[in-house]
Amino acid sequence: MGEVKKHDTPMMDELKSGPWPSFVDDIYNYAEKHKKQACFDILGQMELSYKNKETHWKHGGIVGVFGYGGGVIGRYSDQQDKFPAIWAFHTVRVNQPAAKWYHSSALRKLCDLWDHRGSGIMNLHGSTGDIILLGTVTEQLEYIFYDLTHQLKMDLGGSGSNLRTPECCMGMSRCEWSCIDTQDITYELTMHFQDELHRPAFPYKFKIKVSGCPNDCVAAIARADFSIIGTWRDDIKIDQEAVRAYVAGELKPNAGAHSDRDWGPFDIKKEVIDLCPTKCMFWDEGQKKLYINNKECNRCMHCINVMPEALRPGDDRGAVILMGAKAPILEGAQLSTVIVPFMRLEPPYDNLKNLLYKVWDYWMENGKNRERLGETIQRVGLNRFIVDVLGLKPLPQHVKEPRSNPYIFWKEEEVEGGWTRDVAEFRKRHPA
Amino acid sequence: MDKETLKQKILEVMQKKAGSGGKSKIYLKDLQREIPEANPRDIKNAANELVREGKLEYFSTGSTVMYGLPGVGMGLEAGVEKPKEE
Ligand code: HEM
Ligand code: SF4
Ligand code: SF4
């Protein structure tokens, strides 16, 4: 490799002066150590973009690995003369292990692979959840794919109009609140839907994310077309002894998470009872006893988060299935909406898979180009989607709150006498 | 419709679209619209098989994927020529 050339980047250099470690330092250190022209060029091009206030990346292309319709995203510089080392700078998405646990030796191997065959720049993790390997040329793609699959036993992730790499919170591997085995569900769905993951199947992208409890640490409700969130149906388990210990200041609220400042003594009324969104809790000061009206509880997790030693999710566990979240491309951002209030999730998760097939069959046939599931639901109407498409019964849980979406739509056959009326008969009672 | 007939039909649609100076890249949905008598999932499977056989190719922006006939329309490197090695 010949001499490498650093570009003049005053605006990039300014970013190094902030209080946090800067990616500019990181990339320059790496570029100098490994003599990588691509890294110098990428900062050079970024400087130019800051100056011109426009991007110099072109996108789109036929790049990919044989047999896969996703996982590689073609990117090209439109400034090849100035920055020849990044004329092609493709992104490779790598399917992360469920809950993102690695052995450090796997990460080392991955870094070696990328030093050797790519720019050396990577991003753990992209907002999709995948490991993102940033910047390589077309000629390297098949080698990268071979090394990944044969040496690291890793696979490419999803991109394009495919199922995207399913993602989950750490679930039962570390978190006592997990009501479902998020990692197992994610692994099972990933393996079962390999074809949908690697080959385009849909009108647009489709994301599945799994959180073990309503704290929703992977933000499934905001980021997934199909959000699976653990919940329970029976009562919150209360250890009254531990509740009294919190009230007496013997246990730290929120497991000590807010102990960097003195917030004064713990006040169960102010910090728990009054913040319960459904106002279903009661602290009897005289009896020193906590009551919860579980019928009204909406499983928001607040009280459990504040007093983890005293309160636990119940034992009748499963998940709520929500659908339709998306970022604002058409119509603005949207959260997923409840479709199945409670589903028991046990291997091999056939109930879950069947629901997915039902949704996909409809969306593949009726979704428009680049229309996310949430937009399709909006277009046909939530009621029609629930009743006609999925064949489910409308339930109170589908209604966000009274008077916000309570409109009940009838079909003609459900109305006695139908839509048509006898005008002559009507006029007898209501003269014109 | 059997798979081979469907594959033939897909290629015909692609050629027709590309031929009349029209689109060289089309969405899966466009194929489905042109072949309404086939099931969308069968069309998907047939089109993906044609890619494996080298008769179609994918064109991806990263957020969506389109299908094209190899060598027709916007090319391998999105119209970018690789600079010559010095
Ligand atoms: C001056 C006359 C009117 C007044 C003061 C009035 C008042 C209201 C109010 C307060 C609401 C909100 C109800 C709620 O959600 O709690 C409403 C909703 C509605 N009104 Fe009227 N209304 C009038 C005329 C009409 C007429 C003539 C029609 C139909 C021909 C109509 C059709 C509707 C419909 C369909 C809604 C529900 C709209 C939605 O939720 O998007 N209104 N109206
Ligand atoms: S979503 Fe719930 S179960 Fe999953 S890591 Fe967060 S708190 Fe734990
Ligand atoms: S989980 Fe939320 S709604 Fe339920 S009792 Fe606790 S604070 Fe109230």
Side-chain angles (χ1 to χ4, degrees), chain A residues 258-278:
Chain A
H258 305 304
S259 53
D260 56 325
R261 233 183 86 182
D262 185 8
W263 296 90
F266 177 61
D267 181 340
I268 192 171
K269 176 146 185 347
K270 206 171 109 213
E271 292 173 48
V272 181
I273 311 294
D274 289 355
L275 293 181
C276 168
T278 59

Side-chain angles (χ1 to χ4, degrees), chain A residues 25-80:
Chain A
D25 269 324
D26 237 27
I27 294 178
Y28 272 142
N29 287 344
Y30 178 82
E32 267 150 31
K33 187 169 163 210
H34 291 259
K35 300 275 174 266
K36 285 265 190 191
Q37 186 62 46
C39 297
F40 288 117
D41 279 4
I42 197 171
L43 289 174
Q45 174 162 314
M46 200 165 169
E47 177 80 18
L48 190 68
S49 287
Y50 274 31
K51 197 167 124 203
N52 297 346
K53 295 188 165 47
E54 61 187 9
T55 183
H56 288 289
W57 293 113
K58 304 164 120 176
H59 68 230
I62 301 165
V63 295
V65 299
F66 188 70
Y68 277 30
V72 178
I73 300 153
R75 289 291 181 269
Y76 306 87
S77 168
D78 68 7
Q79 301 291 309
Q80 325 169 16

Side-chain angles (χ1 to χ4, degrees), chain A residues 86-300:
Chain A
I86 55 167
W87 78 274
F89 199 77
H90 309 319
T91 296
V92 179
R93 284 197 178 143
V94 180
N95 195 324
Q96 79 285 3
K100 311 185 186 80
W101 297 105
Y102 303 95
H103 195 285
S104 56
S105 71
L107 288 177
R108 273 194 201 96
K109 271 193 213 155
L110 193 67
C111 292
D112 288 344
L113 165 75
W114 203 236
D115 284 341
H116 180 49
R117 300 202 180 276
S119 72
I121 301 173
M122 55 167 72
N123 164 213
L124 276 80
H125 294 89
S127 47
T128 45
D130 307 84
I131 303 165
I132 307 288
L133 305 179
L134 288 160
T136 193
V137 293
T138 311
E139 293 77 6
Q140 289 286 359
L141 292 172
E142 289 293 346
Y143 298 109
I144 292 166
F145 182 53
Y146 187 90
D147 289 355
L148 271 178
T149 46
H150 290 73
Q151 292 178 18
L152 283 137
K153 309 278 183 230
M154 288 183 179
D155 195 5
L156 296 186
S159 72
S161 314
N162 301 25
L163 172 64
R164 300 304 181 81
T165 317
E167 193 189 6
C168 64
C169 77
M170 60 177 151
M172 288 176 174
S173 66
R174 288 283 287 160
C175 184
E176 64 199 44
W177 289 328
S178 197
C179 298
I180 48 176
D181 191 341
T182 60
Q183 291 169 288
D184 189 53
I185 294 165
T186 301
Y187 183 74
E188 178 60 29
L189 295 181
T190 304
M191 299 311 279
H192 188 80
F193 295 121
Q194 280 287 299
D195 192 48
E196 284 77 4
L197 184 60
H198 295 311
R199 281 162 284 277
F202 305 130
Y204 202 15
K205 59 180 104 168
F206 193 91
K207 303 182 184 176
I208 302 175
K209 296 191 197 292
V210 193
S211 279
C213 82
N215 278 335
D216 194 8
C217 291
V218 288
I221 197 173
R223 304 196 300 155
D225 300 87
F226 194 94
S227 325
I228 303 168
I229 301 179
T231 189
W232 65 96
R233 277 196 299 199
D234 53 347
D235 296 353
I236 292 178
K237 293 186 277 187
I238 308 177
D239 176 348
Q240 297 289 356
E241 202 56 48
V243 177
R244 285 191 284 273
Y246 278 107
V247 172
E250 291 152 21
L251 288 170
K252 285 195 167 80
N254 294 88
H258 305 304
S259 53
D260 56 325
R261 233 183 86 182
D262 185 8
W263 296 90
F266 177 61
D267 181 340
I268 192 171
K269 176 146 185 347
K270 206 171 109 213
E271 292 173 48
V272 181
I273 311 294
D274 289 355
L275 293 181
C276 168
T278 59
K279 304 272 172 274
C280 70
M281 305 184 84
F282 176 69
W283 168 244
D284 189 324
E285 191 57 56
Q287 276 188 60
K288 299 276 177 217
K289 200 168 169 199
L290 179 70
Y291 294 89
I292 298 177
N293 178 1
N294 283 278
K295 275 205 178 109
E296 291 299 320
C297 163
N298 66 7
R299 281 86 181 144
C300 80

Side-chain angles (χ1 to χ4, degrees), chain A residues 61-62 76 80 138 160 361 367, chain B residues 29 41 44 57 60 62 77 80:
Chain A
I62 301 165
Y76 306 87
Q80 325 169 16
T138 311
D361 279 345
Chain B
K29 287 299 304 179
R41 183 165 275 128
K44 174 211 95 171
E57 64 189 10
S60 172
E77 307 295 10
V80 186

Side-chain angles (χ1 to χ4, degrees), chain B residues 17-68:
Chain B
K17 292 249 174 192
S20 49
K23 298 179 189 168
S24 67
K25 305 282 179 289
I26 72 174
Y27 287 113
L28 193 56
K29 287 299 304 179
D30 302 329
L31 281 177
Q32 291 166 356
R33 201 169 298 133
E34 295 292 326
I35 315 172
E37 63 276 22
N39 171 293
R41 183 165 275 128
D42 292 340
I43 297 180
K44 174 211 95 171
N45 289 337
N48 288 334
E49 208 167 292
L50 283 166
V51 173
R52 279 197 290 282
E53 291 167 9
K55 293 176 186 151
L56 287 183
E57 64 189 10
Y58 298 124
F59 181 93
S60 172
T61 62
S63 68
T64 42
V65 178
M66 300 175 98
Y67 293 81

Side-chain angles (χ1 to χ4, degrees), chain A residues 343-358:
Chain A
M343 187 183 260
R344 185 132 5 240
L345 289 183
E346 271 144 26
Y349 313 107
D350 286 338
N351 49 355
L352 192 63
K353 291 172 191 164
N354 288 339
L355 181 64
L356 272 162
Y357 278 125
K358 224 184 243 180

